Amino acid sequence: MTTEKQRLQGRSAAHYFDDGPASARLQTTVALTARTLGFPTAMINILDTTTRHTINLIGAGGGVPLAREEVLCDVVVNSGRPLEVPDARADPRFADLPSVVRGEIGCYIGVPLAGRESFIVGALCVIDPRPHDIDPDVANRLMEFGRIVEDQLDLVRRLDEQRIDGELAVAELAEAIAQEQIVPWYQPIVDLPSGRTVGFEALARWQHPSGEMHDPRRFVPLAEDTDLIVDLDLLVMRRAVADLRRWQEINPDLRVNVNLSSRHFNIDESAAAINDAVLKAGVSPEAVDLEITETTRLNPVRAAQVLGELREAGFGVWLDDFGTGWSALDYLLRLPVSGVKIDRAVSIALGSRLGNALTRAVTGLASELQLVTTIEGIEKPEHAALAYELGCNYAQGYLWSPPQPAGAVDDALNTPGPTHRA
Ligand code: C2E
Ligand code: MG
Ligand code: MG
């Protein structure tokens, strides 16, 4: 019968069946154990509820899965103590085991291996087909090797858990996109210095079933690692243009900015998919600015082609997070860009010589190239004034508003006042 302890032990054992990089280290340790102790065979055996699995083996012996009752390591795991058997054939507990009868096991020493949950998950053992006396020092040395193997098994276990966590997270995010749990929140973009709202940036938020609202730092990087970001961007875009359509009934000049990962450029027909999403909502592409976010993996040739089509269709194309990487300068030259967003890393330095010089350099470059600029992350009125003096056209930041749900924008637009009406 399987006890609860055995069941948990079996579940812990499953973590260690790994062929990854850590198993090469285990192999080295097992080889060193056999050589140092002068035994022809050494192995790491992991035992689940019913079966012995050999995960590393040096020397002779099949290492095929065997029933627990047939192996000496079963005694080690059950007792949690080392086992020394100088002559298995002469030991009534083991004399009838098939491997002993076949002459594969004469002398055996095994030490228990604890997993991190402190269950004994298996044994490290050395075997000699010839029976012989066991030097006490040999058993102690095997214990020391056992500690090393435990550390290495812990690494295997952690790698395994990370892989499972990663796969689960991707599956959960895919489900969240399919269920439309990801929605845009909106942050106003204001004209400097009038402070009038000219549009909104749509920023993804995940309404997690746990009730928590996750911000994009929690899930956009994971989405960026897969093509999920493409579906995520299109979901946010569809929702954003539907909201814009409603808001334009109150203020027809309002615009919306959506973030677009460079992953779109590796996909055929991505310009058509973006264009379709906007036209279906009854919004003109002229009212939509695409912010190119993640440029590290951008293929400039493909990007120039797709963005060229989108500019042709009327979309604005902005380089996001400008000032955080020098490669962006190269993209300015190669991509059909209409504006740049100056990153918060620059705006927080406003007022210092370097911050002012950087801002002036970017706005100077932009105006040479007939581009417009938006500065992000403005929190103080004096920084807004300075940004305007230094040549920025638009700004965003907590000074005006943090990102808010669509309903808050509806409320503001339906409340008569100067802020949101052009
Ligand atoms: P971003 O596009 O550069 O957006 C600006 C970020 O700065 C937003 O963070 C916004 O909430 C934050 N922010 C704005 N004003 C201030 C301020 O005054 N102070 C401070 N401390 N922060 C301010 P958020 O919403 O967390 O978005 C982070 C990033 O995630 C975005 O940076 C963008 O790169 C990415 N992201 C968001 N939504 C999407 C999406 O739908 N698609 C893609 N591909 N990326 C997205
Ligand atoms: Mg952005
Ligand atoms: Mg940005």
Side-chain angles (χ1 to χ4, degrees), residues 177-387:
I177 294 169
Q179 305 267 328
E180 306 202 356
Q181 290 166 11
I182 293 177
V183 297
W185 279 27
Y186 296 96
Q187 185 175 40
I189 301 169
V190 301
D191 172 54
L192 287 169
S194 71
R196 219 168 43 201
T197 297
V198 294
F200 294 91
E201 177 174 2
L203 292 156
R205 294 291 180 271
W206 181 356
Q207 287 172 321
H208 198 265
S210 67
E212 258 185 81
M213 183 64 75
H214 290 185
D215 78 37
R217 274 164 305 185
R218 298 260 309 258
F219 59 88
V220 164
L222 178 67
E224 290 271 12
D225 282 344
T226 67
D227 272 342
L228 279 181
I229 193 69
V230 172
D231 292 336
L232 187 154
D233 284 348
L234 288 172
L235 174 62
V236 168
M237 190 176 305
R238 277 196 300 273
R239 194 62 86 86
V241 288
D243 288 334
L244 180 68
R245 173 91 177 83
R246 201 169 62 249
W247 299 334
Q248 284 186 331
E249 281 169 20
I250 297 167
N251 179 347
D253 297 329
L254 273 183
R255 316 174 53 76
V256 76
N257 284 34
V258 288
N259 291 288
L260 198 70
S261 159
S262 55
R263 282 231 176 217
H264 290 266
F265 309 136
N266 304 329
I267 290 175
D268 288 340
E269 312 292 330
S270 63
I274 292 165
N275 206 13
D276 273 5
V278 172
L279 293 178
K280 272 204 184 107
V283 163
S284 160
E286 313 258 346
V288 179
D289 288 315
L290 306 169
E291 298 188 6
I292 312 307
T293 53
E294 202 265 339
T295 44
T296 49
R297 279 175 278 211
L298 188 143
N299 170 344
V301 177
R302 293 280 301 141
Q305 192 184 334
V306 175
L307 291 173
E309 283 175 46
L310 288 164
R311 281 299 304 268
E312 192 93 338
F315 289 90
V317 170
W318 289 63
L319 285 184
D320 204 350
D321 307 332
F322 200 81
T324 54
W326 292 109
S327 59
L329 278 179
D330 183 41
Y331 299 135
L332 260 192
L333 298 171
R334 302 173 71 161
L335 302 179
V337 171
S338 34
V340 294
K341 296 194 77 170
I342 303 174
D343 194 72
R344 185 167 167 268
V346 176
S347 65
I348 54 176
L350 276 174
S352 71
R353 271 179 64 189
L354 180 65
N356 293 357
L358 268 173
T359 309
R360 198 180 290 111
V362 177
T363 56
L365 182 67
S367 87
E368 276 299 312
L369 299 172
Q370 291 170 328
L371 306 174
V372 262
T373 50
T374 298
I375 187 156
E376 294 187 290
I378 297 288
E379 296 182 357
K380 298 181 183 157
E382 58 272 27
H383 284 175
L386 198 50

